[in-house]
Amino acid sequence: HPEEVCQGGLGDCWMISALSILALKPERIERLIVNTRDETHNVSASRHGVYCVRICKNGYWQNVYIDDYLPMRSPGNLQYAKCRNKEELWVPLIEKAFAKAHGSFEAIEGGFVHEALQDLTGPQATGYTIHLKTDGAADEMWKAARDAYDSGYMLGLGSNSGKDTDFSDQGI
């Protein structure tokens, strides 16, 4: 579920947003984590601490193998992304595999939601830059978003870097 996805101390909100979008349909997340299902189809702990996550990098699916050693701030407190339910590992495991596919955790600081969606789903993703100061641009943006949503597309919105509490005149 999207509310399970919590960003940590890394500036990868673009990837975390994409994970939240995918989590609207759990089968999308299940496609990413290979061979770690228990009898209830939940991601379960690997017996050997090794996980395989599928990432579509540069248009090619690759299996990214990671271990379950996750960066910690303090005992029991993950440094980076986590699940709200501390018994679940899928968010930090996917984040770690995503970072490995891109070269490092630092390499995934800053990006665009559509790029992460492409890496996590495979199909071509498109990003648009909208200048909301243009007359009618906000109305056009919301209409285009509604049309895309009604057509079954996954949607994510982002804004320029800033605080999560900063809003434009259009409510973004």
Side-chain angles (χ1 to χ4, degrees):
H1 299 282
E3 64 274 3
E4 281 295 319
V5 182
C6 300
Q7 184 177 0
L10 191 62
D12 63 347
C13 61
W14 59 290
M15 193 278 299
I16 297 300
S17 294
L19 268 185
S20 294
I21 293 165
L22 292 179
L24 287 166
K25 294 193 176 185
E27 64 273 12
R28 292 176 179 156
I29 299 294
E30 291 171 6
R31 286 186 211 132
L32 295 175
I33 303 177
V34 182
N35 294 331
T36 56
R37 307 265 178 262
D38 63 16
E39 59 281 346
T40 63
H41 301 287
N42 291 321
V43 174
S44 61
S46 165
R47 192 173 12 182
H48 302 289
V50 177
Y51 296 86
C52 178
V53 178
R54 294 183 45 79
I55 303 289
C56 186
K57 189 76 175 103
N58 299 321
Y60 296 96
W61 284 103
Q62 54 184 272
N63 291 335
V64 179
Y65 292 92
I66 55 168
D67 58 37
D68 59 4
Y69 290 99
L70 300 169
M72 305 293 278
R73 252 177 236 225
S74 60
N77 188 12
L78 290 170
Q79 175 78 24
Y80 301 136
K82 58 187 131 288
C83 297
R84 191 168 309 281
N85 177 350
K86 292 186 187 241
E87 300 297 314
E88 295 185 16
L89 289 173
W90 63 273
V91 172
L93 292 174
I94 293 172
E95 181 187 48
K96 183 174 182 175
F98 195 85
K100 183 175 180 181
H102 286 81
S104 68
F105 280 106
E106 291 76 22
I108 63 170
E109 289 203 77
F112 297 97
V113 176
H114 71 279
E115 293 172 350
L117 282 171
Q118 186 168 318
D119 286 352
L120 297 171
T121 65
Q124 177 68 38
T126 304
Y128 297 97
T129 300
I130 299 168
H131 301 282
L132 295 176
K133 296 193 187 273
T134 306
D135 287 340
D139 291 337
E140 285 180 40
M141 180 201 65
W142 290 119
K143 182 185 179 328
R146 173 49 75 186
D147 290 348
Y149 180 79
D150 290 345
S151 297
Y153 290 96
M154 290 182 272
L155 300 178
L157 295 175
S159 61
N160 292 334
S161 60
K163 297 180 193 157
D164 290 339
T165 56
D166 293 344
F167 292 97
S168 71
D169 294 339
Q170 289 77 25
I172 299 174

